Amino acid sequence: MTLPVLFGANVDPVWGEGDQPLRYALQADRAGLDLVTVQDHPYQQAFHDTWTLMAFLAARTERVTFVPTVANLPLRPPAMLAKAAASFDLLSGGRLQLGLGAGAFWEPIAAMGGPRRGKKEAVDALIDAIDVIRAMWSGERTARAGGEYYRVAGIHPGPTPSPSLGIWLGAYGPRMLKLTGARADGWMPSLFSLGLDRLGDAVARVDEAAARAGRDPGAIRKVYNLNGLIEPTSRGDFHGPVGQWVEQIAQVHREHGMNGFAYWPDGDHERQLGVFAHEVVPAVRQALATP
């Protein structure tokens, strides 16, 4: 199975700079991008609540799909997160994908009343959460799912989301990559955490786990979050002119099978987003359409 290549842009959930998130989301929507990603760090003083912001932005836009990168599981119980995601999906006409992670930044999470977990505990909790979320989306009359960290027992699930709603994991370690291939609908690594020198090995781990689980690796949405700048002079990976960006994105797609690219500009966001949407993306699409 070959998925179409998607393109998106990050919108930071800042509240102290007027209507900036709305302006950037509208810009992405009107420019024909596919995705708007919004990071989820509820303990950050400068940030809106990501879920509330995405719902507001969805009501003001027409076509773009929203993705939390990634929903902060330790501060968002999975049964409620599943219900919120399904509701968002139905109310927006299928314009959501549930980005989900095991958790990080445990000090501020604990300061906000959340748990403090080690790496193994965090992944175990994420596995429970996936089971709970799938059960809440199942459409069954009653559901029992989960384990030590999260559990539903005899709950009446609902609402049932559209078939397009999936779980996209932010994953880097071997166990998380295996979980992604075996259980997730998508994968969302970031360039600043997983550079091009390590991307191929990580993709192979995801694809191998998918194959072992009897799944088609090509059916997994693989979105690479790209931080950088489109600028006249090359200064390294994803820091350079439009032609370099086009070549690198096409190469990452062809060599590693990444089928989504979300731009996180290092600065000058509005202009950078415009260049990405109007110059880089059309040229990449043309390059990929050429044998």
Side-chain angles (χ1 to χ4, degrees):
M1 181 177 181
T2 302
L3 297 176
V5 179
L6 302 181
F7 297 91
N10 172 69
V11 172
D12 287 328
V14 291
W15 60 264
E17 300 184 31
D19 64 347
Q20 177 178 300
L22 176 59
R23 286 190 291 108
Y24 293 168
L26 287 172
Q27 183 183 10
D29 193 54
R30 292 165 180 168
L33 295 181
D34 305 292
L35 307 171
V36 164
T37 63
V38 185
Q39 58 183 302
D40 186 28
H41 296 285
Y43 37 77
Q44 288 282 5
Q45 181 184 26
F47 285 1
H48 285 295
D49 170 64
T50 292
W51 210 257
T52 306
L53 176 63
M54 289 194 309
F56 170 75
L57 297 177
R60 297 293 299 272
T61 53
E62 295 181 357
R63 58 177 304 278
V64 74
T65 292
F66 290 87
V67 192
T69 52
V70 284
N72 195 303
L73 177 62
L75 292 172
R76 300 187 185 275
M80 286 301 298
L81 185 60
K83 194 174 188 76
S87 300
F88 192 122
D89 168 75
L90 294 174
L91 292 169
S92 68
R95 295 167 53 211
L96 178 75
Q97 294 296 332
L98 179 55
L100 190 61
F105 306 105
W106 295 105
E107 290 294 330
I109 286 173
M112 203 172 184
R116 194 190 306 266
R117 294 177 177 143
K119 288 184 179 180
K120 181 181 183 303
E121 293 174 317
V123 179
D124 288 344
L126 177 60
I127 293 170
D128 283 355
I130 292 172
D131 290 341
V132 167
I133 292 168
R134 299 287 193 202
M136 290 293 293
W137 291 349
S138 67
E140 299 293 331
R141 183 176 180 276
T142 61
R144 295 178 180 273
E148 178 182 354
Y149 296 93
Y150 299 111
R151 180 180 304 181
V152 291
I155 187 70
H156 300 293
T160 303
S162 70
S164 66
L165 178 58
I167 297 174
W168 296 4
L169 296 184
Y172 298 96
R175 192 174 174 214
M176 283 286 288
L177 294 171
K178 180 179 178 180
L179 177 63
T180 300
R183 301 284 304 278
D185 304 293
W187 177 45
M188 300 187 70
S190 297
L191 174 66
F192 58 79
S193 297
L194 185 69
L196 292 176
D197 58 329
R198 296 186 294 123
L199 179 61
D201 179 66
V203 171
R205 289 176 182 269
V206 171
D207 288 352
E208 288 166 7
R212 286 196 299 269
R215 307 178 69 204
D216 177 4
I220 297 174
R221 173 62 65 188
K222 301 180 175 93
V223 179
Y224 204 18
N225 295 315
L226 302 174
N227 66 292
L229 283 174
I230 305 165
E231 54 189 354
T233 303
S234 177
R235 296 190 294 116
D237 293 331
F238 297 102
H239 282 78
V242 168
Q244 176 185 325
W245 275 72
V246 172
E247 182 178 342
Q248 287 196 292
I249 290 175
Q251 183 177 7
V252 169
H253 170 71
R254 288 172 172 149
E255 293 185 2
H256 302 302
M258 302 304 289
N259 51 38
F261 299 90
Y263 184 26
W264 294 49
D266 286 346
D268 196 12
H269 195 293
E270 199 159 0
R271 190 185 69 82
Q272 288 285 313
L273 176 54
V275 175
F276 181 73
H278 296 295
E279 298 185 36
V280 174
V281 171
V284 172
R285 287 177 171 149
Q286 183 176 5
L288 295 181
T290 303

